[in-house]
Amino acid sequence: MAAYLADVLNLFFRWFHVIAGVAWIGASFYFVWLDLSLREPPEWKKKKGIKGDLWSIHGGGFYEVAKYQLGPEEMPKTLHWFKWEAYTTWLTGFALLSVIYYWGAEQYLIDSQKISLSQIQAIGLSLACLLGGMVVYEALVRSPLRYQPKVFGAVLFVLLAFSAWGFGELFSDRAAYLHVGALIGTIMAGNVMLGIMPAQRELVRAVTAGEQPNPLHAEFAKARSTHNNYLTLPLIFIMLSNHYPMTYGHEHAWLVLAVIGGLMAFVRHYFNLKHQDNHQPWILVAGFIGMIAVVFWLTPKPVAVDASAPVIPDEQGMMLVATHCQSCHTAEPTQAGFVAPPAGLVMETKAQVAAQKARMIPALQTNYMPLGNMTGMSEGERETLIQWLGQMP
Ligand code: HEC
């Protein structure tokens, strides 16, 4: 029952998280596009304090958008804020993290071959790292470094790459990637709550009081919102990465993530330049070539079947599968916490194993399976099983 409940919560929060994330990231894309696409307004609009003019057509209608230099003379009756997209995305993401990685810490968070932690220790460490990472970002963004966007970007990149390495030392490979994502998400939601919202409240207060708003608040909010924009593509990659052990299971997983994340932020830069009519297609080409290079880099090594080595008897291979895989990968798993064969993979007969060996080998090579090495598989056993699978016709 508990396992079924965990699955249901997992599905519910994931679904909710994706919807909220679409709304948040969609708004981020839209507003960055909007801001960069503003053009010089006609004189009469300038006189009203409007600094940018934009026309668009969508869903069968014309839209006219105007951005004020600082604020309108009077507060409009209805003013739309965009904060719940961000908060809901973070809250549902945190709920999902808790259901999968905290509740199921033994299977998904802890890798006893790296550091053997108790569930409480692992959760404490995870929370401390997420909070600590956000504090470091807040310190940086409040420092004069923020006036140098390129240097700031480089420092943030190095720190995030370092966090990917650090999480990889502490947690399971898959949890390591996810934690970089959770940290980025926390930084982004923090940008909204701790930076953008207070600045906007101040703007609204000044306009309502009939005072001249301080442009520094608006600039600071804009810088944070731009940081968020560059973080979106790497973040979405991390959200999807947990389906692809070839990424987080790579022996230099943190470097893989740093390279892919860097390339994605760079590609985002192309679009941000393009919105300002600055076309630099070479950025897209470089991003594409970079990704092709990554594809080659991640290619798994083929299993070298040593022809001179003694053939591993099928009984021995099936014995390893029975000991290390079948507690979960059977029609009715005996492992507590599992109600159905994970990933739909049943490994009860030799024929089933043979049919799935193409997926089993990389899962074993990347140490992804057995999950959290809960069955305590030794390196020798791992090699023997890979060898046996490799020699199967
Ligand atoms: C403790 C339970 C458990 C054990 C033991 C276990 N697995 Fe898994 N396995 C899972 C879960 C859970 C998933 C789905 C993970 C996911 O959603 O990414 C999975 C998924 C897989 C996949 C699919 C991965 C993919 O996405 O391509 C393969 C292949 C696999 N397991 C092979 C094995 C092999 C081989 C063994 C034995 C050496 C093994 N598993 C032992 C729980 C287990």
Side-chain angles (χ1 to χ4, degrees):
M1 200 55 206
Y4 179 62
L5 181 65
D7 273 356
V8 169
L9 290 177
N10 180 327
L11 173 59
F12 173 74
F13 287 128
R14 192 180 295 264
W15 172 79
F16 201 166
H17 184 57
V18 169
I19 294 173
V22 167
W24 183 14
I25 293 173
S28 167
F29 280 11
Y30 178 71
F31 278 101
V32 166
W33 168 82
L34 189 70
D35 232 47
L36 298 174
S37 307
L38 292 169
R39 296 295 177 266
E40 176 122 12
E43 241 358 272
W44 66 273
K45 283 191 183 175
K46 274 194 200 157
K47 285 205 184 105
K48 283 177 70 186
I50 291 170
K51 80 160 182 194
D53 196 23
L54 181 134
W55 285 83
S56 54
I57 186 162
H58 186 84
F62 285 99
Y63 293 78
E64 179 185 13
V65 180
K67 182 172 180 176
Y68 282 79
Q69 185 71 38
L70 287 169
E73 277 170 20
E74 256 176 61
M75 259 333 265
K77 252 198 248 122
T78 331
L79 183 64
H80 299 281
W81 298 69
F82 292 81
K83 60 177 178 197
W84 280 107
E85 291 85 345
Y87 297 165
T88 340
T89 308
W90 190 87
L91 288 170
T92 49
F94 188 74
L96 199 52
L97 179 74
S98 307
V99 170
I100 302 175
Y101 291 92
Y102 292 173
W103 189 351
E106 248 177 73
Q107 291 130 24
Y108 289 106
L109 181 58
I110 301 165
D111 183 340
S112 51
Q113 278 177 331
K114 294 180 184 173
I115 306 183
S116 113
L117 298 163
S118 70
Q119 185 180 20
I120 294 294
Q121 285 171 333
I123 295 173
L125 203 57
S126 155
L127 290 172
C129 290
L130 294 179
L131 187 69
M134 197 189 72
V135 169
V136 170
Y137 173 83
E138 281 300 318
L140 271 182
V141 83
R142 285 158 200 259
S143 79
L145 203 62
R146 73 168 183 273
Y147 299 115
Q148 292 172 313
K150 287 206 178 96
V151 184
F152 188 93
V155 172
L156 189 59
F157 175 77
V158 171
L159 286 175
L160 286 173
F162 172 76
S163 83
W165 172 82
F167 285 132
E169 296 291 302
L170 297 175
F171 302 130
S172 82
D173 295 342
R174 189 175 127 162
Y177 264 37
L178 213 279
H179 271 75
V180 181
L183 175 58
I184 293 180
T186 305
I187 288 173
M188 288 171 67
N191 268 332
V192 174
M193 195 165 100
L194 305 173
I196 298 171
M197 288 309 294
Q200 290 181 174
R201 277 191 218 104
E202 174 51 31
L203 267 176
V204 168
R205 190 206 58 77
V207 172
T208 316
E211 291 168 17
Q212 179 76 355
N214 182 346
L216 286 181
H217 292 298
E219 272 166 33
F220 194 19
K222 185 74 223 160
R224 285 187 184 254
S225 149
T226 307
H227 297 170
N228 278 4
N229 186 260
Y230 280 97
L231 292 171
T232 48
L233 295 193
L235 180 60
I236 297 176
F237 167 76
I238 296 174
M239 289 167 77
L240 301 179
S241 71
N242 66 53
H243 299 289
Y244 305 98
M246 75 253 202
T247 56
Y248 61 77
H250 193 269
E251 56 174 324
H252 303 298
W254 70 272
L255 197 58
V256 171
L257 184 55
V259 171
I260 295 179
L263 284 170
M264 297 208 160
F266 194 41
V267 165
R268 189 67 232 150
H269 188 55
Y270 163 80
F271 287 99
N272 289 346
L273 289 177
K274 179 173 160 276
H275 301 330
Q276 304 168 75
D277 289 338
N278 181 355
H279 293 270
Q280 303 285 350
W282 67 271
I283 297 184
L284 274 192
V285 175
F288 185 72
I289 294 176
M291 289 309 280
I292 298 281
V294 171
V295 169
F296 279 103
W297 180 27
L298 299 189
T299 312
K301 293 181 201 86
V303 185
V305 182
D306 186 351
S308 63
V311 170
I312 292 153
D314 289 347
E315 294 72 38
Q316 194 185 344
M318 278 313 285
M319 197 57 193
L320 287 169
V321 172
T323 318
H324 294 291
C325 315
Q326 281 181 359
S327 52
C328 298
H329 289 286
T330 43
E332 286 172 19
T334 50
Q335 173 70 45
F338 289 88
V339 275
L345 294 176
V346 176
M347 303 173 190
E348 285 169 25
T349 63
K350 196 185 141 200
Q352 286 166 338
V353 170
Q356 286 147 10
K357 68 174 193 150
R359 285 178 81 188
M360 291 169 70
I361 292 171
L364 284 160
Q365 282 174 325
T366 55
N367 290 340
Y368 183 35
M369 290 292 145
L371 195 66
N373 203 1
M374 293 183 72
T375 57
M377 185 179 224
S378 71
E379 267 320 295
E381 286 174 320
R382 188 180 296 278
E383 267 161 37
T384 310
L385 184 51
I386 295 176
Q387 189 75 22
W388 175 64
L389 291 169
Q391 89 193 12
M392 271 185 148

